[in-house]
Amino acid sequence: MKKLTQKEEEIMRILWRLENAFVNDILSELEDPKPPYNTVSSIIRKLETEGYVGYEAFGKTHRYYPILTKEQYRK
């Protein structure tokens, strides 16, 4: 397993804490200055492609949840 970037890890920490979240939920948890919505969405989609994050689709909206646990990542 590769080490996550600082931004990827920050988003994963939020998902671990919230358990599932929409992009706007994650954005509201990030500190100022907040990155653009599209940036956060792109990072989450990359994490999903790599198998760290899953999602449930609600029409055009996705709710994301962590597949990788905090403990698995620490190993």
Side-chain angles (χ1 to χ4, degrees):
M1 172 186 337
K2 76 172 188 78
K3 181 160 173 40
L4 299 174
T5 66
Q6 182 180 355
K7 284 293 181 193
E8 290 171 339
E9 194 171 326
E10 186 177 5
I11 288 172
M12 285 302 295
R13 283 191 189 127
I14 292 168
L15 281 173
W16 287 323
R17 189 173 65 249
L18 298 178
E19 296 180 7
N20 56 57
F22 295 98
V23 174
N24 280 329
D25 298 332
I26 294 168
L27 255 175
S28 68
E29 295 287 321
L30 292 169
E31 293 182 15
D32 289 329
K34 296 184 188 307
Y37 179 96
N38 289 342
T39 301
V40 174
S41 181
S42 293
I43 293 170
I44 294 171
R45 278 183 279 136
K46 181 177 179 242
L47 290 168
E48 188 263 322
T49 302
E50 294 174 350
Y52 297 116
V53 172
Y55 69 89
E56 295 174 79
F58 297 92
K60 292 183 179 182
T61 303
H62 295 93
R63 182 171 60 191
Y64 298 93
Y65 58 88
I67 293 173
L68 179 74
T69 66
K70 224 187 283 192
E71 292 74 26
Q72 289 171 323
Y73 180 65
R74 286 183 184 157
K75 290 179 185 179

